[in-house]
Amino acid sequence: MDGFTKRETFLHFLLTSISILLIGSLPYLLFNMKAQVEVLKMIHMKTLDNTLFLYDTIVFNFQEYTLHIYQTIKLLFTGGDAEYYYRGVYRPIFPELWELFLKSMTYMILGLFFGLLLALVMTFLVMYFSRKYRALPKIILFFLESLPDIFIILIIQISIIWTYKKTGLLVFDITSTADGDPVVVPIFILSLLPAIYMNKLLLLAFEEEESRQYVEFAFSKGFSKSYILIIHILRNSILTFFNHFRSIFTFLLANLLMLEIIFNINGFMTFVYKHSVLNPEILTISLFMVFIPFFLIFTIVQWTIHRSFPSGRSTL
Amino acid sequence: MKKFWFSNRLLIAIGLMFLISLLSASMIFGFVIEQDRTPPEKLLFDENNQLIAIAPFPPSVQYPLGSDIDGNSFFLKIIDGAKYTIGLSLIIAFGRVILSFLGGYLLFLMPSQFNKRINNLSDAFHYTPTTILTYVLIAPVVLTFSWSYDLTTKIIYPVIILILVSAPVLSMYVRNELNLIYKKDYVITSKLMGANHFHLYRKHVSPFLKPKLLLMFVQQVGQALIIFAHLGLLNIFIGGTETRLMDIDIETGEPIYRHFSMSNEWSGLISQNFEYAIPFPWMILAPVTAFALAILAVNSIAYGLKGPFEHYQSKTKTTTMKETVSPVTKDKFQMIKKISS
């Protein structure tokens, strides 16, 4: 149980933060960032056209690395006036990144919510089959799970365009325009992709519970299958399921990036993608923006789950 | 029991056959077809010499996956590119397994308190999508500052980064597996009987670890393929990016560069054709479908190796004991004490 004490949680938070700092400044370790950015600025200002004479190798710049980590820490604590370089001009990071963050997180949380619902419905449907007949739905799930996310996103996008071409009916917006961002399809995709993954995890947990004795006992007492599924199995599977929740989260973040690129949404992940090469501190800042709220949520959920499962089948 | 082996082996066989045939077709293509290929046709005529289509052609019998802007068949391009993409993902997966085995063993030798902290440190990777991390580390060499690095660096460096990025998480995984195995009763018994470290590893640990590492290898091939597909969408392709000046923007005077893959490597095909996704959807669907099929094949091998039916089968398996009835006759008995009469 000691993984859930306050000291342990604090250490966890601290170490993960350190690791984020270490990751975020890595470009300064491996490249001569300052020199390279200078060259890029010269190219943007058109004082340099010929780059053939320039040559550089991968380096290990520990001094620059530690210096940049120190600067990033200072930036994080002073906040506010951080700037990023893009095509010859410096712009302030902050109101912009914050708005994009809220937009993308709305997509993500709605997607996660509907995805969870979808996964639960699918799992219940599969569980209503008897064990013998579960092979076919499982094979379909395996197939869907194996397809890469960009394949599924592109297929959905192209099929919407195709129906538009055939019938002249644009069912949903599929790309960002001046009117705004598409809403329905991205949320649908962001719920579909993790739903397949969550469904797999839930199904594993459900089947594990199903073979336990108390379930057999409940059946023998004559409770209906729906009652047992909802009251007994679902409650006991939540713990196992939650242990995998972080990987679902990582999965969803990767999906979000691909979705924003394919649907041309100007979101949080695309901002990180576009600017963090030249400004590695954007990577660090955005990682913290994702890490802090979700770490809090995870910790709170973990504590409440542990309070409601005091018997401690928590060694999973 | 026989049936379960059959279905799992079947999955492995299908996956392997697909990958091997794809790879060998790709190898043969490089040697045979490439040499006597005529320059592609940009215009397509029917038998009356009537113009029926201009490149890019949509999928048809002649062009199973459609064609690109120059009229090259996508099917052939994908066959040609398979050896680079799949070959690189095999190299990366192999590197990851070797590295994470060494890392995992090293972590295993460390005290558990240390490992807990390492675990906390590596938790940061749960909040960092691998695609973004690899992009930030690879893009400077391949895209942003591409002028200052030579070709060898551009090819080897991304592969090393792709191997290193997943090392922390995978090492933790190997370490946990090792911990589980070393806690088994027979290992402890063997240790108590005086087995040394090497003997323990060779006789008791490696038989359990090897299948896990094999499974990890197959899964990592799939992961590497997914990362390739993602990076392709982000304009990075391994195996060299060539940046060419295409056009100059009339309004702003900014030069427009486009990045070309030097081979028909699949992620390169994705990134080159992404801008045609809406007018000519097959141009992007072709390489993405190739990725999807390859990943499907890899995953079916992994699924077969994992044996998900095993769990199910062992639950329902009923062991029937054959009752052997042997007639009991009088001469089977013997008096212990012979009564002399």
Side-chain angles (χ1 to χ4, degrees):
Chain A
M1 288 300 258
D2 72 339
F4 306 98
T5 58
K6 276 180 195 141
R7 182 177 166 270
E8 196 64 28
T9 311
F10 174 72
L11 263 176
H12 188 172
F13 181 82
L14 191 73
L15 283 168
T16 313
S17 307
I18 290 172
S19 158
I20 287 176
L21 283 170
L22 292 177
I23 291 173
S25 296
L26 272 180
Y28 277 86
L29 178 68
L30 296 172
F31 316 115
N32 295 316
M33 285 296 281
K34 279 182 182 159
Q36 298 285 18
V37 172
E38 283 305 316
V39 173
L40 198 71
K41 276 181 193 165
M42 281 159 84
I43 293 174
H44 284 161
M45 288 187 297
K46 301 192 179 54
T47 45
L48 184 75
D49 327 300
N50 189 350
T51 52
L52 286 174
F53 61 91
L54 291 170
Y55 181 77
D56 202 354
T57 47
I58 304 297
V59 287
F60 284 98
N61 249 333
F62 276 105
Q63 211 178 352
E64 282 290 314
Y65 184 52
T66 42
L67 188 70
H68 189 257
I69 291 173
Y70 171 69
Q71 281 170 347
T72 316
I73 295 172
K74 229 165 68 177
L75 192 72
L76 284 173
F77 281 102
T78 52
D81 55 345
E83 285 182 325
Y84 69 93
Y85 174 80
Y86 182 63
R87 286 199 183 272
V89 270
Y90 278 96
R91 301 179 197 175
I93 295 177
F94 255 108
E96 193 183 353
L97 188 61
W98 189 243
E99 280 160 25
L100 294 176
F101 175 74
L102 289 180
K103 183 162 97 182
S104 290
M105 287 304 126
T106 324
Y107 278 121
M108 213 174 114
I109 289 170
L110 283 175
L112 198 62
F113 176 72
F114 288 117
L116 199 59
L117 277 184
L118 195 65
L120 277 173
V121 170
M122 286 201 288
T123 314
F124 276 117
L125 277 179
V126 178
M127 290 301 288
Y128 272 111
F129 289 106
S130 70
R131 272 178 184 271
K132 267 189 213 166
Y133 299 107
R134 276 181 210 158
L136 185 68
K138 275 187 187 169
I139 287 173
I140 295 171
L141 277 173
F142 162 72
F143 191 74
L144 284 175
E145 190 205 319
S146 294
L147 296 174
D149 46 1
I150 60 171
F151 181 75
I152 294 176
I153 299 172
L154 278 169
I155 288 281
I156 291 173
Q157 194 189 35
I158 286 165
S159 57
I160 289 172
I161 294 169
W162 189 76
T163 46
Y164 176 65
K165 275 184 185 162
K166 290 285 157 188
T167 62
L169 185 75
L170 187 62
V171 194
F172 302 109
D173 275 354
I174 38 121
T175 167
S176 282
T177 53
D179 300 337
D181 298 312
V183 177
V184 182
V185 185
I187 291 177
F188 171 68
I189 290 172
L190 275 185
S191 53
L192 182 72
L193 293 169
I196 298 166
Y197 187 61
M198 285 195 273
N199 186 29
K200 185 186 95 174
L201 293 174
L202 274 175
L203 208 60
L204 271 175
F206 267 52
E207 290 202 324
E208 175 102 29
E209 285 302 318
E210 197 191 25
S211 58
R212 285 184 199 271
Q213 279 187 333
Y214 74 92
V215 176
E216 277 176 29
F217 181 60
F219 270 119
S220 70
K221 283 181 82 174
F223 287 126
S224 71
K225 191 155 188 177
S226 338
Y227 178 83
I228 296 171
L229 276 178
I230 295 168
I231 301 297
H232 292 297
I233 297 185
L234 175 65
R235 283 188 190 172
N236 288 325
S237 312
I238 285 176
L239 198 68
T240 323
F241 177 68
F242 188 75
N243 281 314
H244 294 284
F245 210 75
R246 268 161 225 248
S247 57
I248 296 168
F249 181 75
T250 324
F251 186 70
L252 200 58
L253 275 178
N255 292 160
L256 186 67
L257 173 66
M258 290 300 124
L259 185 93
E260 282 180 0
I261 288 173
I262 293 175
F263 279 72
N264 194 20
I265 299 169
N266 184 21
F268 180 66
M269 296 305 276
T270 35
F271 186 86
V272 178
Y273 151 62
K274 273 184 203 151
H275 301 302
S276 57
V277 174
L278 289 182
N279 312 276
E281 45 291 344
I282 287 186
L283 183 66
T284 320
I285 292 172
S286 53
L287 283 180
F288 272 112
M289 283 168 86
V290 174
F291 164 63
I292 294 173
F294 284 97
F295 182 82
L296 279 177
I297 294 172
F298 284 141
T299 315
I300 291 167
V301 173
Q302 211 156 25
W303 279 351
T304 39
I305 281 184
H306 269 266
R307 205 161 285 171
S308 33
F309 290 90
S311 59
R313 276 224 331 264
S314 60
T315 45
L316 287 159
Chain B
M1 212 55 192
K2 221 172 194 177
K3 206 177 171 190
F4 139 61
W5 274 112
F6 174 70
S7 63
N8 269 10
R9 281 185 180 167
L10 190 71
L11 271 176
I12 298 175
I14 292 173
L16 269 181
M17 284 238 300
F18 178 78
L19 288 180
I20 289 172
S21 51
L22 192 62
L23 273 176
S24 45
S26 181
M27 298 286 185
I28 295 165
F29 181 88
F31 291 118
V32 183
I33 306 172
E34 187 83 300
Q35 285 158 1
D36 51 48
R37 205 165 53 147
T38 50
E41 301 280 338
K42 271 198 158 186
L43 305 171
L44 216 60
F45 298 96
D46 64 1
E47 53 268 29
N48 306 324
N49 261 356
Q50 291 281 320
L51 183 69
I52 47 171
I54 305 172
F57 311 121
S60 60
V61 183
Q62 197 186 346
Y63 298 100
L65 293 169
S67 84
D68 68 356
I69 287 283
D70 299 326
N72 293 309
S73 167
F74 255 113
F75 183 70
L76 294 181
K77 285 182 93 152
I78 278 166
I79 294 282
D80 181 36
K83 55 178 173 285
Y84 303 111
T85 310
I86 297 177
L88 271 174
S89 55
L90 287 174
I91 292 173
I92 288 170
F94 188 71
R96 283 180 179 183
V97 171
I98 296 289
L99 196 70
S100 57
F101 170 70
L102 294 176
Y105 205 84
L106 214 68
L107 284 177
F108 169 72
L109 298 176
M110 298 287 169
S112 74
Q113 200 61 25
F114 177 79
N115 271 300
K116 216 181 202 170
R117 300 295 159 239
I118 291 285
N119 204 357
N120 289 347
L121 275 176
S122 72
D123 197 35
F125 287 94
H126 282 294
Y127 300 91
T128 327
T130 327
T131 316
I132 279 278
L133 185 59
T134 38
Y135 178 79
V136 169
L137 293 178
I138 293 175
V141 172
V142 190
L143 279 180
T144 324
F145 312 130
S146 60
W147 57 76
S148 46
Y149 298 96
D150 54 23
L151 192 62
T152 336
T153 322
K154 279 181 189 169
I155 293 172
I156 294 172
Y157 172 76
V159 175
I160 293 174
I161 287 292
L162 279 170
I163 291 172
L164 286 178
V165 151
S166 64
V169 174
L170 288 179
S171 299
M172 291 305 297
Y173 170 78
V174 171
R175 185 248 162 199
N176 288 342
E177 288 297 330
L178 279 172
N179 238 3
L180 283 180
I181 297 169
Y182 271 99
K183 267 188 195 142
K184 292 207 162 149
D185 284 344
Y186 59 84
V187 179
I188 296 171
T189 319
S190 180
K191 209 190 262 175
L192 288 175
M193 286 166 83
N196 64 13
H197 227 80
F198 182 67
H199 177 85
L200 268 186
Y201 179 77
R202 205 168 59 95
K203 287 284 177 192
H204 299 301
V205 178
S206 81
F208 280 86
L209 198 63
K210 267 183 201 158
K212 300 253 166 173
L213 289 181
L214 179 66
L215 178 64
M216 193 166 106
F217 173 71
V218 176
Q219 284 171 334
Q220 288 309 312
V221 175
Q223 290 296 321
L225 284 172
I226 288 177
I227 291 258
F228 278 156
H230 284 183
L231 287 179
L233 211 57
L234 303 183
N235 262 331
I236 287 190
F237 19 108
I238 320 301
T241 311
E242 202 179 346
T243 312
R244 285 187 215 157
L245 180 67
M246 287 301 283
D247 205 353
I248 290 182
D249 199 311
I250 305 167
E251 284 168 26
T252 57
E254 278 178 7
I256 298 171
Y257 292 101
R258 279 194 49 201
H259 308 291
F260 284 89
S261 169
M262 291 181 207
S263 55
N264 283 322
E265 200 264 318
W266 296 349
S267 46
L269 292 180
I270 290 183
S271 100
Q272 276 165 35
N273 299 314
F274 184 56
E275 55 191 299
Y276 305 115
I278 290 180
F280 313 115
W282 63 87
M283 288 180 68
I284 183 116
L285 272 183
V288 174
T289 312
F291 266 115
L293 286 177
I295 292 168
L296 196 66
V298 170
N299 276 3
S300 55
I301 298 173
Y303 200 71
L305 286 175
K306 234 190 298 186
F309 300 115
E310 193 175 30
H311 176 72
Y312 162 62
Q313 210 73 17
S314 64
K315 282 268 150 52
T316 52
K317 195 178 71 184
T318 48
T319 44
T320 46
M321 291 265 271
K322 244 188 195 169
E323 280 183 45
T324 45
V325 183
S326 49
V328 182
T329 48
K330 205 181 174 183
D331 54 281
K332 288 212 166 173
F333 293 94
Q334 235 179 355
M335 288 291 189
I336 297 171
K337 277 185 185 173
K338 290 249 167 90
I339 305 163
S340 52
S341 53

